[in-house]
Amino acid sequence: MKPIKIYALYKGEDLLADGTIEEISEQTGKTVDHIRFMTFPTYHKRCKPGGKRMQMILLDDDEEEM
C-alpha cells in the first residue's frame, strides 16, 4: 500500500491550501492535472525564489508510513 502524500500549496509566503492533490484541487478550483504538474521538477525550475507562482511543497508525515 502506497503512503498518502500530503502537500501544501503556497503563493509566495501565503498558504493557500493543504492536503492530497485531489483535496487541493477541490479547494482551489484548479484541475488535478494542473496541481499534479506543480509537483514536477520542471515546474519547480520555472519558479523563481520570491516569485509570484504557486508552489507545491511535499510535507513529511512519518505517521502515515507503514
Side-chain angles (χ1 to χ4, degrees), residues 8-62:
L9 178 63
Y10 285 91
K11 185 169 186 176
E13 293 186 16
D14 297 328
L15 176 64
L16 301 178
D18 61 350
T20 63
I21 289 176
E22 291 80 12
E23 292 170 343
I24 293 173
S25 174
E26 290 175 12
Q27 293 173 27
T28 61
K30 304 281 185 195
T31 65
V32 172
D33 289 338
H34 181 73
I35 298 297
R36 187 172 287 119
F37 176 66
M38 287 193 282
T39 67
F40 295 163
T42 301
Y43 183 83
H44 288 277
K45 289 178 187 176
R46 296 178 185 178
C47 297
K48 295 179 183 175
K52 297 187 180 193
R53 284 185 182 249
M54 293 185 286
Q55 294 185 357
M56 291 282 287
I57 307 297
L58 178 63
L59 302 177
D60 282 337
D61 196 347
D62 297 333

